[in-house]
Amino acid sequence: MAAPEPEAPTSVRSRAKDHSPWNWLLFIPIVVPLIPAFFNADSPRLFGFPRFYWLQLAWIILGVATTTLVYQMTKKRGDR
């Protein structure tokens, strides 16, 4: 007779079922930097830096802002 498998902790089970629509926003910082039209010119320059360099920083800020928004909107209200 086989021993029953131990159950996974409830936190693991609840995270696996997290299909919030807010999670779709996480594709924005992945897809937007892959669009070549954004890098196709040298101007405008920002503080003397070509578009390519300051857009790299903008993508980081976009990624952090999007991740923070999704985290705040999907976290459980009772958790700390």
Side-chain angles (χ1 to χ4, degrees):
M1 185 165 157
E5 293 184 25
E7 289 189 31
T10 57
S11 63
V12 173
R13 281 187 276 160
S14 65
R15 286 185 183 259
K17 295 179 184 178
D18 183 22
H19 297 295
S20 172
W22 288 101
N23 292 339
W24 286 102
L25 288 177
L26 294 173
F27 281 108
I28 292 172
I30 295 171
V31 174
V32 170
L34 296 176
I35 300 172
F38 288 123
F39 303 105
N40 203 14
D42 185 42
S43 62
R45 289 178 171 258
L46 186 65
F47 303 115
F49 291 102
R51 177 189 292 182
F52 176 81
Y53 293 107
W54 61 263
L55 271 178
Q56 295 302 309
L57 180 61
W59 301 146
I60 293 170
I61 294 169
L62 175 68
V64 169
T66 305
T67 304
T68 302
L69 175 68
V70 171
Y71 173 73
Q72 292 297 326
M73 298 309 289
T74 59
K75 73 178 180 178
K76 306 259 189 284
R77 295 295 174 215
D79 294 345
R80 290 195 178 237

